Amino acid sequence: MLGPPGAGKGTQAVRLAEHFGVPHISTGDILRRHVSGSTPLGLKAQEFMNAGKLVPDALVIEMVKARLAEPDCRGGFILDGFPRNLAQAEVLAGITSIDHVVYMFLEPEELIKRSEGRRVCPKCAAVYHLLSNAPKAAGVCDKCGTALIQRKDDMREVVEERVREFEKRTSPLVEHYRGQQLLREVYASGIIDEIFHRLLRIVKTP
Ligand code: AP5
């Protein structure tokens, strides 16, 4: 799943993973778990994440290689937020083949609104939005009952930096994967269910 911050990659990746019965592997979620557990990786990654910058490749690549080597990935997986640049894409190509690169795109102002209104569960990583995807009880995760929080990198200035970082470092992957005929482009505006059905049609088409 490729796309700027707030496009809805994580929201759709969770649904696709459930639908196909494969793991959802989000590098952002894995990194956030390291940060909240204050692991050596988390301590190194957090300053980059809080500033809206990409975490250095050396840290992320080893983490992804280890995750993809786990037995639950043998039957496939949905990778969300990796690769983020050409160096990561080359490493991925050396580890596994991929069937589709789903590129979700949206207007910059909508990206900011989605990120600013996002609330997440610090325990199970479920994602909500104050207006468009609210939990049943305000401020509480539907799935595990934990109090929801706002991500530190969802403040407007940091979101803007993340959008710039996407444009500069990640967007070259669009042409890279288009050249390999793997790119599936999806306009990410509309209600969540509608986009999910759009995605299903795309990834089911050979
Ligand atoms: P990461 O967690 O991957 O963040 P991101 O790519 O910036 O994406 P987001 O999680 O912000 O957005 P999303 O597209 O998943 O949207 P969501 O579904 O939540 O990465 C965070 C940081 O980790 C990076 O900045 C970097 O530092 C580091 N990192 C991660 N991977 C890395 C890598 N490979 N290399 C280096 N560093 C890495 O939706 C957004 C909101 O909109 C939610 O509130 C949701 O409820 C709502 N929403 C979703 N769909 C809709 C809809 N259709 N209509 C209305 N609202 C919607």
Side-chain angles (χ1 to χ4, degrees):
M1 308 290 288
L2 178 67
K9 304 178 297 294
T11 300
Q12 298 298 338
V14 166
R15 284 167 173 73
L16 288 170
E18 275 169 16
H19 180 87
F20 289 109
V22 295
H24 164 219
I25 301 173
S26 155
T27 44
D29 285 351
I30 301 174
L31 286 166
R32 278 184 286 279
R33 280 201 295 277
H34 278 281
V35 170
S36 64
S38 299
T39 68
L41 169 56
L43 294 173
K44 286 182 199 148
Q46 71 182 348
E47 64 171 299
F48 296 96
M49 297 174 77
N50 290 345
K53 301 283 188 191
L54 291 190
V55 172
D57 288 347
L59 301 177
V60 177
I61 286 170
E62 285 315 309
M63 183 185 94
V64 171
K65 277 186 177 170
R67 181 64 188 91
L68 292 181
E70 288 180 31
D72 64 337
C73 291
R74 283 188 201 137
F77 47 83
I78 309 277
L79 200 44
D80 166 13
F82 186 95
R84 283 293 233 272
N85 56 32
L86 287 166
Q88 294 182 9
E90 277 161 21
V91 169
L92 184 65
I95 309 176
T96 183
S97 62
I98 44 182
D99 300 315
H100 306 278
V101 175
V102 172
Y103 170 43
M104 299 182 69
F105 61 94
L106 194 61
E107 295 79 8
E109 201 41 48
E110 285 305 308
L111 297 173
I112 308 277
K113 281 189 210 153
R114 285 198 185 173
S115 296
E116 282 189 318
R118 172 166 45 198
R119 296 295 180 269
V120 296
C121 175
K123 190 170 174 202
C124 73
V127 174
Y128 302 89
H129 190 279
L130 292 176
L131 303 176
S132 60
N133 185 20
K136 292 189 183 87
V140 179
C141 180
D142 292 349
K143 294 184 182 159
C144 68
T146 304
L148 301 177
I149 58 164
Q150 184 169 25
R151 274 170 45 177
K152 279 193 182 155
D153 61 352
D154 274 345
M155 286 178 307
R156 190 178 181 104
E157 316 80 75
V158 185
V159 177
E160 286 170 350
E161 179 58 27
R162 287 162 57 211
V163 173
R164 282 194 291 273
E165 191 81 336
F166 174 82
E167 290 301 333
K168 194 167 63 182
R169 303 190 56 191
T170 307
S171 67
L173 291 181
V174 171
E175 291 312 317
H176 175 78
Y177 285 121
R178 197 194 308 278
Q180 298 183 11
Q181 279 141 27
L182 290 172
L183 198 74
R184 321 285 180 244
E185 293 177 82
V186 179
Y187 181 41
S189 177
I191 58 170
I192 291 172
D193 278 349
E194 186 183 297
I195 294 167
F196 177 61
H197 287 104
R198 234 179 261 169
L199 283 168
L200 274 187
R201 280 196 296 277
I202 288 173
V203 299
K204 280 183 174 164
T205 309

